[in-house]
Each structure stands twice: as C-alpha cells, then as structure tokens.
Amino acid sequence: MDYALKNRPADQVNTFGAAGVRTLFPSSETISSLSFDGPGTEPFFLPDFLNAKGENSISRMFSLPFGERASNLVGNEEKTLERCRTLSVEIIAEALLRDKRFPSELVQVTHGDLDNPPLFIVMNPGMEDVNETRVVTDELEIPTEELLEAAVRLADRVSYELHIVLMSFLSGGLDGLAQLFAICRPEVVMTRNPEMEDICLPDPSLKITGKMPGTVGIVCEDNQGVIGVTTAWHVAGNTGDVVDVDGHNEIVGPVSQVQDIAFIPINGNRPNTVSRLVMKGYGPRHQGLLEFEGAVTGKESALLVTVSPGLLSRDPLNRLTLRTEMKANAGDSGCALLEGNEVVGFALRNTKPGQYPEFTEWIWADNALAALNLSPL
C-alpha cells in the first residue's frame, strides 16, 4: 500500500481535495471493479472539496477556521490531528458500508499519522496479485450529502473526545466537513484479500485443549460474578463442551461465534494472573508496538497495521478486528494483545503461508467481552 501511494499516477486526482477541484464520473466497468455485489450498482459522486493551503496537515489545520476551532477546543495540535484523521476515514467507512457496497469483513481502515494519510482499504477477492494494489480515491465518488449524513450518524457513536472534534466541524455544515477532509486528505486503496487460517493468543500463557490447541486470553468474570477465562471459540467449541485448561477439565460457558470468544468458568482452579484494563473509547496508536504472549510463540511484539472501521463502537453482531504484522503462530489461539497494561485484542488468525499482504488478525477485545457481558479482573 505504501508503494501504491508513492507511485500513484501524476495525473491522478484525489477527489477528497488533495490535488485540486474536479469531479470524475467513473465508467460502469470501473464501478463494477470496486463493487462486489454485481453490475448495475449506482455510482457514488464524490464532492468537490476545497484545496486547503499548506504542505502538511498542521499548516492546513491552522489555515482553516474550523480546523483552528477544533484545535482550540482540544488544546493540543497533535491530539486534534490524530482525532481529525480518525474521523475523516471513519466517515468514509460509514458512508460506504451503509450502502452495503462492500462486505464489512473486506474493508479495513488506518488512521494515518503525520507522514501517512488515513486509508480506507478495500480487499478485493477478485484481485490475485498484491502488486495490483492501487489508489482508487478518484474512482469512487460519494455525494457530499451522504458524507454529511454519515458524519451525523457517527457523532452519536464515537467517544466524547472524538465527538467534540467532530461537532466543531459539523457546526459549519458542508463547509466544515469539507475543511475536515481538506486537512486530512484520506485515500481509498484497493488490495487483494489474502487467504487466512485460524490461530489464537493469551495472557497469561496458559494452554487450552478443546477442538484444537489454543491459549487463555484473560481472567475475567461474568455479570453474575462467576470467575473464568476467555479463549477463542474455534478452540473451545460450544457451550457445554469439556476442555482442558492448564491440566484441569472445565466446561465451556457462553460463547460468541461472531466474536470468536468463549468464556470458561473456573471451579477453584483460578490461575495466577496480573490485573489488566481493557482499552475502550480510543484505539491503539497507528504503527504502535503491541505485545502478546502465546503458548507457542512466547513473548513477542508486533506493529499495528490496520483496524476495522467503527472500532470504537460496540456491536455484538459485528466482528471488529485489528491487524498487526504477522508474529503469532498456530496454537497461540485466544491470547491477549496488549498496549502497555491495556488489552486491545485476542488473537484470531494469520494469513496463510505465501499469501500477501501478511498479517495477524486480532478480535477487538472491548467488543468481544461486551458480547458476553464479561469484565476483566
């Protein structure tokens, strides 16, 4: 994806405002290549966003009135830009996923940083060669009104910190929204959809044997005060199944196949563990270094690559994930991914050998635990 961004054609227009004002009308062939639900899909029309002055996002933010207003509200320019980048790409995701153009499991977002733009990433099952990865920002057009409606819907679901920044731009209506996009200049990228294989990871590193070997995630309790441990559903099996947890037979409690999580009550065999917080209301740093301990891999670290759109919301029927560079191994299934002392995810699966791009995928912990009404200890 870095290659695609650095080598985009010189005459390719970023219709979100990075390269001037222009509206493109893609052909039906282009639209069908971006849509996975067959021909006949009505195209989006991307708005003409103003071309803000400034070579970087900081100068653009302070050259625009709503950007400066948001910065004054937050009181920190770096935090303001971080939240603006997150919001710009989440608004795109909200607009596109609402239309059902792309299955949610085939899209990811990166929130970017000072050197990299926010990305809405589409993983096309029809793309066989990763070298075909390309920027498609100017091929996918969205009406201004649909982006504004998406932003308003998003305002009801984001954390307070994101909400105050978003509302500062929405106070200016379409002009305010245009300024948000002009500051951040998000891109849409299409890449291949690699084949995956299940894994899972834990904290502490305790082995579980159910349908297959795996690892404990965290020690937690349900809403009745019952203490137990988590692991991957694809490791533990279904409610009532018997599994071996660190040498003790236990019975699987509630499970969520969607979130790939299982809760296993512990009868007097509670393992020693450190207390962990679960990250919620904000996400881990883009390109930040995260840590885990798998029963097979042991202690390891991995860089964050991308996250699901809407990561900060709670939806038990929607699988929200993070992706790191590939570091986990089979048998690590179920373990916890940490940023500092906070649990951010549980190991889910790896790309298969020889598949590119390579990554390890993790279930967003806050959403998975909420699906079973679990709280960490």
Side-chain angles (χ1 to χ4, degrees):
M1 283 175 279
D2 288 340
Y3 176 85
L5 288 170
K6 292 174 182 176
N7 293 278
R8 62 184 298 162
D11 59 349
Q12 187 172 358
V13 176
N14 182 336
T15 45
F16 288 106
V21 175
R22 182 178 170 190
T23 299
L24 301 178
F25 294 87
S27 68
S28 58
E29 182 179 356
T30 300
I31 284 294
S32 65
S33 74
L34 293 172
S35 177
F36 305 144
D37 53 2
T41 303
E42 288 297 318
F44 288 106
F45 298 102
L46 197 73
D48 290 334
F49 284 118
L50 58 88
N51 192 19
K53 297 179 180 178
E55 293 300 318
N56 58 61
S57 54
I58 292 179
S59 60
R60 292 194 297 271
M61 181 172 69
F62 286 111
S63 74
L64 295 167
F66 290 103
E68 188 172 11
R69 178 184 297 182
S71 181
N72 290 336
L73 279 173
V74 175
N76 180 294
E77 65 185 36
E78 286 190 17
K79 288 183 178 179
T80 306
L81 283 169
E82 179 183 338
R83 294 166 190 175
C84 286
R85 289 191 294 265
T86 297
L87 289 167
S88 69
V89 75
E90 291 286 349
I91 291 169
I92 295 171
E94 173 69 20
L96 294 178
L97 292 176
R98 179 84 165 202
D99 181 74
K100 307 296 184 185
R101 180 172 296 264
F102 308 114
S104 59
E105 66 271 17
L106 295 179
V107 300
Q108 294 278 301
V109 297
T110 68
H111 295 158
D113 52 37
L114 287 175
D115 299 317
N116 298 288
L119 301 179
F120 178 84
I121 302 167
V122 181
M123 291 168 288
N124 188 343
M127 184 181 290
E128 297 182 357
D129 188 346
V130 71
N131 294 318
E132 296 175 13
T133 299
R134 70 186 195 277
V135 179
V136 295
T137 312
D138 63 335
E139 300 175 33
L140 192 65
E141 303 190 344
I142 314 173
T144 310
E145 292 77 11
E146 290 195 15
L147 282 176
L148 184 59
E149 291 170 4
V152 171
R153 291 194 302 268
L154 199 64
D156 294 330
R157 302 203 305 269
V158 297
S159 65
Y160 172 75
E161 291 79 7
L162 289 173
H163 180 83
I164 60 173
V165 173
L166 180 54
M167 293 309 296
S168 70
F169 284 98
L170 287 181
S171 66
L174 291 175
D175 285 344
L177 187 64
Q179 291 184 27
L180 172 64
F181 278 81
I183 291 167
C184 302
R185 299 180 177 178
E187 300 276 12
V188 182
V189 173
M190 178 178 286
T191 189
R192 70 178 298 181
N193 185 39
E195 293 184 49
M196 309 292 294
E197 59 183 6
D198 288 339
I199 58 162
C200 272
L201 309 170
D203 175 34
S205 179
L206 297 179
K207 293 182 179 180
I208 284 184
T209 303
K211 293 191 297 184
M212 62 179 66
T215 311
V216 163
I218 60 171
V219 178
C220 55
E221 64 179 356
D222 66 12
N223 55 3
Q224 303 298 315
V226 175
I227 295 174
V229 297
T230 64
T231 192
W233 166 81
H234 76 258
V235 166
N238 296 314
T239 301
D241 288 351
V242 178
V243 295
D244 180 291
V245 182
D246 200 34
H248 301 279
N249 285 337
E250 307 289 358
I251 298 175
V252 178
V255 303
S256 170
Q257 185 174 350
V258 172
Q259 304 298 337
D260 197 57
I261 188 173
F263 177 63
I264 305 170
I266 298 298
N267 298 311
N269 300 315
R270 177 180 172 179
N272 293 324
T273 181
V274 294
S275 227
R276 298 292 189 193
L277 303 172
V278 172
M279 183 175 287
K280 55 186 175 182
Y282 55 92
R285 297 185 307 276
H286 175 57
Q287 293 285 309
L289 196 62
L290 307 177
E291 299 177 337
F292 66 89
E293 183 179 354
V296 173
T297 304
K299 292 185 177 180
E300 185 59 271
S301 58
L303 287 174
L304 178 68
V305 179
T306 63
V307 301
S308 291
L311 189 72
L312 306 186
S313 62
R314 279 187 174 179
D315 183 355
L317 300 180
N318 185 21
R319 176 179 286 183
L320 302 175
T321 62
L322 311 94
R323 289 176 174 173
T324 67
E325 59 181 328
M326 191 163 70
K327 289 293 187 72
N329 290 285
D332 288 335
S333 284
C335 97
L337 182 68
L338 306 174
E339 182 177 78
N341 193 43
E342 292 182 293
V343 178
V344 299
F346 300 118
L348 174 62
R349 55 188 182 173
N350 278 342
T351 47
K352 287 186 176 181
Q355 294 287 306
Y356 295 94
E358 287 185 332
F359 53 82
T360 296
E361 190 164 36
W362 309 74
I363 293 285
W364 177 239
D366 180 50
N367 195 43
L369 293 169
L372 298 183
N373 294 310
L374 302 176
S375 301
L377 291 180

